[in-house]
Amino acid sequence: MAGMSSVLHAWRALERRWQTWPQNVRHVCRVLTLGSLLALGTALVYVTGGTRYAYPYLMLIPVLLAGAWYTWRGSLLVALMAGLLMAAMPLSVETGEVQTPLNWMIRLGLYLVIGGFAGGLFERLRQSYLSVELASRTDPRAGLPNEIALEMDLSRWLKRPPRQDARSVGVVMVRVEDIGEIMEALGADACDELMVAISQRLTRLGPNLVGCYRVGGAELVLLFWPVGLKELERLACKAADLGEDNLVALGVPLRIQLVLGSSLQNGRGASPGSLIREARIAMLAASEKHRVHCHFQPSFARRSVQNIQLIARVRRGLAQGEFELHYQPKLRLADGRVSGFEGLIRWRDEHGNLIAPGMFMPKVENTTLIAPVTRFVMSEACKFARRHGGKVSINFSVRNLMDDVLLEELGQLVKQSGISPSQLEVEVTESALVHDLFAAKQALERIRGCGIQVSIDDFGTGFSSFEYLRHLPITGLKIDRAFVEGLEQDERARKLMACLIDVGHALDLQVTAEGVETQGQHRILQELGCEQAQGFLYSKALPVEELLAWHHERERLLRLGDPLAIKHR
């Protein structure tokens, strides 16, 4: 079996190499092969005694080959030549006996019948193969070339010799951002018609566009050659303008939003897969940055194989106790005493090294893994509050807010732990609320119904509207560090901070400033009436043992009369 597999592999490799030869070279090779086989067959028949014996049927080999290569026309022509060659030969070379006309005519007719049948059969097989190949290269719903066609064509263009002007192959991936709304309102047929309309519109991009392919329900790929970087960026912007203007699907006028990513062949090492991947990464970067188009940069490819493997280890890490909670203290600015703690997850690998949360949490928050991770955080925070007292805040993602089972478990966990519900606070970012404000409001009401406090995290950087605050059952605001950074140097920053604090007070909310790093920021926040602060000026997030030691030392300094009792960590 292994030997057969290796033979097939070698044959396919040889066939691929054969297909790379120029068409005229392959034609000459085939004609020479057929001529050689006819000559060899004739010689063999003559050497073996004449046409009286079975060897004349060896002449069917070139007839069948001609059918495979040139269908019925080629096989009939070679059959005629083979029949005429056999007609010129005697029945017996030794005696010189000549064939009767009926004998060679019967043989000629037999060759023609077999050649015609074989040629017709090969032609049917070729047509069937071409139909299947065309179907495999075509999107069945829109009739556009698909990803298989893209990879084949892109591979062919990448093999072209480099140009002296350094222009090369360019790929632009185009995605319809609001395809979900169109699908919901008009259905899949409208989406298919829309993609066809966009592809037809994009044919106006000029002669550099050598192909347009549908690679997903909402994605097209444009293939350009030859093109330079500046030219590719210009064409991408033009594609965005063409694709968004005056489109109609199922008779309904549409105004769509496109996002594009591009990549360019650099050197001879580029492959179809790498160029398509780079264009997709650039497109995702453009979507994240809320831009129409981004060209690929190596810095966009943040998700390495190691990071993917790291995410795959999260569930195992939870089971093996590799996660822990560190706590960053919050201080009352009025008297400098600790008013609470924020529980922040940390991951310690098998070697005892901490893995930065930024390497795994952004991905975890977008997957179902966020549920078990949040359960762990909830449990650890309740244990800490029961053992050491005080208020502990934890972070909830948008997936957590929409998880009814998790919300139910949160209330049960607080009851089982024996702590007061007010000792636990849930922090939710503004961006988590924007996805579905009504559903988020219902989730927050369930949390508040358990007696748990709720605070808006990173306030000022998300929804950027104060109106929605009146309708949410929240107890606090945490002002983002971006508004704290410029307090000492910028008068406008101080006025803006004062405005944010006043908004919180007007709604009877407790206001916390995060990211405090200097005594000047601490002092200004005190003067503006901010209740709480946290940041590296006081302490970074610490393991429980270090936190308790820090807290003990701070209380000692306060008893000695130090009004700030600030120690850099």
Side-chain angles (χ1 to χ4, degrees):
M1 184 67 70
M4 180 64 70
S5 177
S6 61
V7 170
L8 288 175
H9 181 75
W11 174 258
R12 288 169 182 165
L14 184 62
E15 187 178 17
R16 285 194 296 269
R17 179 173 294 183
W18 166 258
Q19 293 296 332
T20 61
W21 290 15
Q23 180 69 27
N24 56 345
V25 174
R26 284 184 286 165
H27 175 68
V28 170
C29 290
R30 286 169 175 168
V31 171
L32 290 175
T33 301
L34 292 174
S36 300
L37 288 173
L38 286 172
L40 181 62
T42 303
L44 185 61
V45 171
Y46 191 87
V47 169
T48 55
T51 60
R52 173 177 295 175
Y53 305 99
Y55 293 106
Y57 293 103
L58 291 172
M59 301 295 280
L60 289 175
I61 294 176
V63 173
L64 296 177
L65 275 179
W69 288 340
Y70 298 107
T71 67
W72 62 270
R73 295 178 181 85
S75 61
L76 286 179
L77 178 60
V78 174
L80 180 61
M81 295 173 62
L84 293 176
L85 287 172
M86 291 296 99
M89 296 187 64
L91 278 174
S92 174
V93 175
E94 183 179 356
T95 63
E97 182 181 356
V98 181
Q99 298 182 68
T100 63
L102 180 62
N103 187 71
W104 69 263
M105 289 182 68
I106 290 175
R107 180 175 286 114
L108 174 62
L110 181 63
Y111 284 177
L112 290 173
V113 170
I114 294 175
F117 178 79
L121 181 61
F122 280 119
E123 185 173 19
R124 291 289 301 272
L125 290 174
R126 177 173 295 182
Q127 292 297 329
S128 177
Y129 171 78
L130 292 175
S131 299
V132 171
E133 185 183 26
L134 180 62
S136 70
R137 290 164 52 92
T138 305
D139 180 75
R141 294 189 60 90
L144 297 172
N146 61 13
E147 191 164 4
I148 295 175
L150 169 62
E151 292 186 0
M152 294 177 67
D153 293 348
L154 188 52
S155 178
R156 177 168 51 87
W157 284 104
L158 289 175
K159 291 177 181 177
R160 297 178 73 93
R163 293 171 55 93
Q164 293 183 349
D165 59 5
R167 298 164 78 200
S168 57
V169 178
V171 173
V172 175
M173 181 166 285
V174 184
R175 177 176 175 80
V176 181
E177 285 283 80
D178 40 7
I179 195 71
E181 299 176 12
I182 298 170
M183 175 75 77
E184 183 178 352
L186 300 175
D189 290 341
C191 295
D192 298 331
E193 187 174 327
L194 175 65
M195 299 305 287
V196 173
I198 295 173
S199 67
Q200 293 173 345
R201 185 76 58 80
L202 294 178
T203 57
R204 305 177 191 173
L205 290 172
N208 290 32
L209 178 65
V210 295
C212 180
Y213 311 81
R214 188 182 189 185
V215 298
E219 294 175 351
L220 296 172
V221 169
L222 308 178
L223 184 57
F224 294 94
W225 187 91
V227 68
L229 177 57
K230 295 295 183 182
E231 190 177 8
L232 184 64
E233 292 178 341
R234 179 183 61 79
L235 287 168
C237 293
K238 185 178 179 182
D241 294 337
L242 287 173
E244 293 178 357
D245 187 36
N246 299 326
L247 288 164
V248 177
L250 298 183
V252 179
L254 300 173
R255 171 61 170 83
I256 61 171
Q257 179 64 47
L258 299 182
V259 60
L260 298 87
S262 61
S263 61
L264 192 65
Q265 177 190 9
N266 291 316
R268 299 290 291 173
S271 66
S274 65
L275 277 181
I276 296 170
R277 172 179 170 273
E278 289 176 358
R280 188 180 299 278
I281 290 173
M283 181 193 70
L284 295 173
S287 181
E288 292 173 1
K289 297 173 183 291
H290 303 288
R291 294 169 58 181
V292 174
H293 167 251
C294 277
H295 185 74
F296 175 77
Q297 299 176 21
S299 59
F300 292 163
R302 300 182 303 272
R303 299 172 178 86
S304 64
V305 174
Q306 290 78 14
N307 286 345
I308 296 173
Q309 292 173 337
L310 190 68
I311 298 302
R313 288 167 41 204
V314 168
R315 195 177 297 277
R316 188 195 69 183
L318 284 170
Q320 295 182 354
E322 295 177 359
F323 286 88
E324 58 191 68
L325 235 57
H326 288 190
Y327 299 87
Q328 185 174 31
K330 300 179 181 180
L331 272 65
R332 279 196 305 267
L333 292 173
D335 57 11
R337 294 194 175 276
V338 174
S339 56
F341 307 91
E342 180 179 4
L344 299 168
I345 194 165
R346 296 292 185 265
W347 188 0
R348 197 176 297 276
D349 64 18
E350 60 270 19
H351 304 295
N353 301 316
L354 285 176
I355 301 172
M359 293 184 65
F360 62 92
M361 280 308 296
K363 178 67 175 179
V364 167
E365 288 176 353
N366 292 320
T367 68
T368 54
L369 284 171
I370 190 60
V373 169
T374 304
R375 288 189 182 95
F376 170 80
V377 173
M378 288 160 33
S379 176
E380 291 297 305
C382 288
K383 291 176 184 177
F384 180 89
R386 184 179 70 247
R387 294 171 183 170
H388 308 290
K391 184 168 71 174
V392 181
S393 60
I394 59 175
N395 294 283
F396 261 37
S397 72
V398 61
R399 279 182 174 268
N400 295 146
L401 287 180
M402 304 305 154
D403 189 339
D404 292 335
V405 174
L406 188 70
L407 295 179
E408 183 70 24
E409 291 178 2
L410 177 63
Q412 294 175 356
L413 183 62
V414 170
K415 291 180 181 178
Q416 294 170 0
S417 64
I419 65 172
S420 169
S422 61
Q423 285 183 262
L424 190 65
E425 180 182 49
V426 171
E427 295 185 3
V428 183
T429 62
E430 285 186 277
S431 58
L433 303 174
V434 173
H435 289 274
D436 190 338
L437 189 59
F438 179 75
K441 179 175 180 291
Q442 289 184 315
L444 297 183
E445 287 174 346
R446 289 186 62 180
I447 296 173
R448 288 292 296 127
C450 299
I452 300 168
Q453 298 190 7
V454 176
S455 179
I456 302 298
D457 195 9
D458 299 336
F459 180 68
T461 62
F463 202 23
S464 300
S465 172
F466 297 150
E467 171 63 20
Y468 77 101
L469 293 176
R470 295 193 303 114
H471 306 289
L472 293 177
I474 56 177
T475 57
L477 293 180
K478 181 185 279 190
I479 300 174
D480 189 76
R481 66 182 65 248
F483 298 97
V484 176
E485 291 175 352
L487 287 178
E488 296 178 274
Q489 299 84 19
D490 190 350
E491 178 65 26
R492 296 176 66 184
R494 289 193 288 273
K495 291 181 179 179
L496 183 57
M497 176 62 75
C499 175
L500 295 176
I501 293 172
D502 288 343
V503 167
H505 290 168
L507 296 172
D508 296 324
L509 303 176
Q510 186 179 54
V511 180
T512 304
E514 63 177 340
V516 179
E517 297 184 356
T518 68
Q519 294 191 17
Q521 294 169 352
H522 173 96
R523 178 182 53 79
I524 293 171
L525 289 170
Q526 273 185 321
E527 295 171 355
L528 294 177
C530 184
E531 285 91 356
Q532 292 187 139
Q534 70 181 98
F536 284 1
L537 175 65
Y538 317 114
S539 174
K540 65 179 181 180
L542 299 171
V544 175
E545 295 78 8
E546 294 183 32
L547 178 75
L548 296 177
W550 174 89
H551 195 186
H552 177 77
E553 177 65 11
R554 180 174 183 79
E555 291 296 318
R556 187 185 70 81
L557 292 173
L558 285 172
R559 287 194 297 270
L560 293 175
D562 185 342
L564 291 179
I566 293 169
K567 291 186 72 175
H568 291 278
R569 304 294 303 192

